Amino acid sequence: MADPLSIIFAAFSPINLGLALAGVLAGTIIGALPGLSATMAIAVLVPFTFVMEPASGLIMLGAIYTGAIYGGAFAAILVNTPGTPSAIATTFDGYPMARRGDGDLAVTLATIASVFGGLVGAILLITLSPSLAKLALAFQSTEYFWLAILGLTLIATLSQGNVLKGMIGGMFGLFLSMIGVAVIGGDVRFTAGLPAMMGGIDIVAALIGLYCIPVLIGMVADAGRHLEPAPARGFRFFEALTIALRDWLNLLRSSVIGTLVGILPGAGGSIASLIAYAEARRASPRADNFGKGEPGGILATESANNATVGGGFIPTLVLGIPGTPPDAVIMGALMVQGIRTGPALFQGGDGTVYVFMVGLLIATLLMLPTGLVVGRYAFRFIANVPKAMLVPLIAYMTIVGSFAIHSNPHDVLVMVVMGLIGWLAARAGYGASPIVLGLVLGQIAEQGFMRAWMIGGARGDFMGQLLLDRPISWGIVALIAVTLFMPLLRLRRARRLVVADRPGDAAIMGGGGGHSPRRIDLPGLIGAAFFILLGLVIVLQSQQLSTLAAAFPLTVGIAMILLSGLQVLRSLRGGGTDSLEASTDDGTGRGLVLALTMLAWAVIFPHLGMFTTSIAACVILMLTGQFGPLRGLRLLVYLLGILVMVSAFYLLMVRVLNIPMPVGLLF
């Protein structure tokens, strides 16, 4: 191993500092744009690192990675659309803060939490890599199944008083993850005979649609401002720092959670941020404020998901098992540079890997000034841009971002359709996050379930393999049980308080002998009926599959039917509050115009070309988002702005990221 002093000097060299700063800035911008993932950015830039010194190239890639994870918070806070799956939980409190005019404070809180979590993850990476890697080896397929179920139950219980709707949404997400070729068995499932669906539903495309489209419909359905304008208050750094110091235990706990979850290959920041958020809410004296703009929620999610960066490198470097796709790309870059990962990596060599680790620390620190500057102007820009320009801007980013994932027009159509499904589901109280988490965790859950099925079947003891023979599984199942029962205990406690304070209101909450009859939850009832039918379809079609391909869908279908049946009873009784993300905007003709425009855009652009159709669609959306007359100079400025915007993003994709755009009959 090289001398520690020489490692520090190498990491702090001017060239490495410059590359770290450039990587953080590029990663932050990429992470904030839906569809442009850290994996894409790293994969595009890997060839350029081959002409650099190995440590310099790896520092730049690591800086892009950590910046992209952090950048996902910008879109989550400002437009309620997580730039990356790990920022899903950031939308819960970040967007409500932005709506009330505290978006600048929310971004600064996210920056402080991201830096703190990233530092904890990087420090543990440097100091405890071999020891923590043993924890990853202790987890087997059974534990990964229960870990995925834990993630689903966490997001379900965060659906503010309606765990059933959250669980049903999670089951729907699991169903979406099963579309295409079965991960075990190889059968083609639930494609409705469409060859384009054999590849399944892309997670990022679905995420963009489920979060972006409902926000856009809400924007054009309401003449009010999308965000409350805020006076120029600087970075609000010391205000945010005071909040963070007051909640230091939440920051530290969430960072440790993120690191520990990060070392589990495939788990990722989405599970880490949800576990940290749920734990922060459980331990907070302000638990009722979570989901309404509570700073502690942002501190928990952003510290956890950024800590997973350092945690994810632990199995990558120590075991040679990449925890995430970006880790896999960086591991490939290591191998090209002649650096072999594994236990021997830390026993000798020239210290390149340690220079990379210290460089990751530097990149994390550089997120603070970068994030503060970018965040300040990003919030002011989003808050002050008129809807007539913001709606086409976000819509264009969703179209281009969805196409950029695989350069496949099918992903764009999937994005729009999933967005419309998400909007309809939100109207009935079925939030987007359980659906997305089911889709994200579906393959992990199915692989763990089926491996336990096969091993247990060979031993003649499936339930023993799935549950009884694994002490780690006992702990995770216990957490699941606590997670599911905690909302019921809180509800019972709330009812007791009502009985003690206002006995006359107890009947209304409890449902017995009340003077005010409960109103049937009709949207929830319709949604539950739909999911019962879908569950029946899943069960019936599973009969035509092989045993290996049918076992998991059959389980999901039966669970969906049972949960939806309970929801039918609950809806008939009038029980069914909106989920955490249920839409409150009325659908109008403008919303219908936006939905039809996005759908036509997704269908037509492969034939007529991206540039021309984007100009036409953005003009229609500009007029849809404009309330009041639009004439003369302002109309000209808006049209010129659309031309510049479309041209800039088009050139970015074609010239910088080398993504070929469809030309079609027109340009």
Side-chain angles (χ1 to χ4, degrees):
M1 176 179 169
D3 179 63
L5 196 60
S6 65
I7 291 173
I8 293 174
F9 276 122
F12 279 89
S13 67
I15 181 65
N16 286 342
L17 285 175
L19 289 173
L21 179 60
V24 167
L25 182 60
T28 300
I29 295 172
I30 289 170
L33 299 176
L36 302 186
S37 64
T39 307
M40 178 191 301
I42 294 172
V44 168
L45 292 175
V46 158
F48 295 98
T49 65
F50 297 157
V51 298
M52 303 178 186
E53 290 293 324
S56 299
L58 292 172
I59 286 174
M60 185 174 185
L61 295 178
I64 292 172
Y65 182 17
T66 192
I69 296 297
Y70 160 64
F74 284 88
I77 292 170
L78 300 179
V79 292
N80 200 36
T81 303
T84 59
S86 61
I88 289 171
T90 306
T91 62
F92 297 166
D93 291 285
Y95 189 60
M97 287 187 69
R99 287 291 298 267
R100 70 177 185 228
D102 285 329
D104 47 1
L105 178 61
V107 169
T108 302
L109 284 168
T111 303
I112 292 173
S114 298
V115 171
F116 186 87
L119 288 176
V120 170
I123 290 171
L124 292 178
L125 168 66
I126 294 173
T127 57
L128 300 176
S129 289
S131 300
L132 289 177
K134 295 178 182 178
L135 179 62
L137 291 176
F139 275 70
Q140 296 183 7
S141 55
T142 304
E143 282 77 22
Y144 280 105
F145 166 74
W146 288 117
L147 196 62
I149 300 302
L150 174 61
L152 289 175
T153 54
L154 285 172
I155 194 65
T157 56
L158 296 176
S159 298
Q160 283 195 342
N162 201 332
V163 177
L164 271 177
K165 286 185 177 179
M167 291 299 294
I168 293 168
M171 292 299 109
F172 181 56
L174 289 177
F175 160 70
L176 295 177
S177 74
M178 295 184 292
I179 294 175
V181 179
V183 292
I184 295 179
D187 296 45
V188 177
R189 305 181 299 193
F190 313 119
T191 61
L194 300 175
M197 296 302 295
M198 290 186 64
I201 293 179
D202 184 82
I203 293 172
V204 178
L207 183 149
I208 295 171
L210 285 166
Y211 282 102
C212 264
I213 301 299
V215 169
L216 289 172
I217 293 176
M219 281 186 182
V220 300
D222 184 6
R225 296 186 65 91
H226 51 285
L227 296 179
E228 285 295 325
R233 294 174 290 191
F235 300 111
R236 303 183 72 177
F237 175 74
F238 291 105
E239 182 182 354
L241 184 62
T242 301
I243 295 173
L245 290 175
R246 190 172 62 231
D247 211 7
W248 66 271
L249 184 58
N250 178 20
L251 269 176
L252 182 60
R253 178 181 58 237
S254 301
S255 300
V256 173
I257 289 173
T259 304
L260 294 178
V261 174
I263 71 172
L264 305 176
S270 53
I271 292 181
S273 60
L274 284 170
I275 293 176
Y277 186 89
E279 181 59 22
R281 184 182 180 185
R282 183 199 62 79
S284 175
R286 303 176 300 278
D288 291 340
N289 293 334
F290 277 68
K292 303 173 184 176
E294 168 60 36
I298 297 177
L299 293 175
T301 59
E302 285 303 305
S303 56
N305 63 32
N306 280 272
T308 59
V309 175
F313 279 122
I314 292 174
T316 303
L317 298 178
V318 179
L319 305 175
I321 303 173
T324 62
D327 290 332
V329 177
I330 292 176
M331 189 174 77
L334 279 166
M335 297 175 67
V336 170
Q337 298 285 4
I339 301 171
R340 301 295 174 183
T341 58
L345 181 66
F346 296 86
Q347 307 302 321
D350 58 359
T352 298
V353 68
Y354 282 101
V355 176
F356 164 61
M357 290 179 179
V358 176
L360 194 63
L361 269 174
I362 296 170
T364 303
L365 289 170
L366 289 174
M367 282 198 305
L368 186 61
T370 303
L372 290 176
V373 173
V374 174
R376 176 184 179 183
Y377 294 104
F379 173 66
R380 291 177 62 183
F381 173 78
I382 295 293
N384 293 319
V385 170
K387 279 187 181 180
M389 291 301 295
L390 188 62
V391 169
L393 171 63
I394 297 175
Y396 182 51
M397 286 169 52
T398 64
I399 295 289
V400 172
S402 301
F403 178 79
I405 301 168
H406 302 297
S407 297
N408 187 353
H410 172 70
D411 289 334
V412 180
L413 188 58
V414 167
M415 182 273 295
V416 175
V417 172
M418 288 303 302
L420 298 178
I421 291 174
W423 180 77
L424 291 173
R427 303 298 298 177
Y430 300 88
S433 292
I435 300 174
V436 171
L437 260 296
L439 181 57
V440 169
L441 302 176
Q443 289 197 358
I444 299 174
E446 181 170 8
Q447 288 175 356
F449 182 85
M450 290 310 303
R451 285 171 182 163
W453 173 285
M454 290 186 289
I455 296 172
R459 295 168 46 189
D461 184 20
F462 168 63
M463 288 307 298
Q465 176 65 28
L466 188 65
L467 178 62
L468 301 178
D469 295 343
R470 301 288 302 166
I472 298 178
S473 295
W474 300 348
I476 301 176
V477 172
L479 284 175
I480 293 172
V482 170
T483 300
L484 289 175
F485 283 108
M486 280 299 291
L488 299 177
L489 294 177
R490 286 177 184 159
L491 181 60
R492 190 172 181 179
R493 186 184 310 163
R495 286 176 175 170
R496 286 178 178 175
L497 291 175
V498 170
V499 171
D501 294 341
R502 295 187 301 276
D505 294 338
I508 297 175
M509 288 192 67
H515 297 291
S516 300
R518 291 188 173 193
R519 186 173 58 184
I520 292 177
D521 176 20
L522 185 59
L525 181 62
I526 294 173
F530 168 80
F531 286 119
I532 288 176
L533 292 176
L534 178 61
L536 290 172
V537 170
I538 295 172
V539 170
L540 291 175
Q541 291 198 9
S542 297
Q543 308 298 321
Q544 305 170 13
L545 303 174
S546 65
T547 302
L548 291 178
F552 190 69
L554 203 59
T555 304
V556 171
I558 293 172
M560 183 182 290
I561 293 171
L562 294 176
L563 291 170
S564 300
L566 292 174
Q567 180 58 44
V568 167
L569 298 177
R570 193 165 190 265
S571 297
L572 289 173
R573 292 179 56 203
T577 57
D578 286 339
S579 76
L580 194 71
E581 307 153 88
S583 173
T584 57
D585 295 308
D586 292 331
T588 65
R590 290 176 183 264
L592 181 60
V593 170
L594 184 140
L596 293 177
T597 301
M598 295 289 291
L599 194 58
W601 193 353
V603 172
I604 293 173
F605 87 89
H607 308 288
L608 297 184
M610 175 67 82
F611 186 84
T612 304
T613 52
S614 297
I615 292 288
C618 285
V619 170
I620 295 173
L621 295 179
M622 176 198 71
L623 297 174
T624 306
Q626 174 63 28
F627 290 83
L630 182 62
R631 306 186 187 92
L633 182 60
R634 176 171 292 189
L635 175 60
L636 183 61
V637 170
Y638 283 6
L639 291 174
L640 182 61
I642 287 174
L643 179 62
V644 171
M645 175 191 72
V646 172
S647 301
F649 273 95
Y650 190 88
L651 291 175
L652 171 67
M653 294 296 169
V654 174
R655 301 296 183 185
V656 179
L657 298 178
N658 296 317
I659 297 172
M661 289 292 177
V663 176
L665 298 176
L666 303 173
F667 179 61

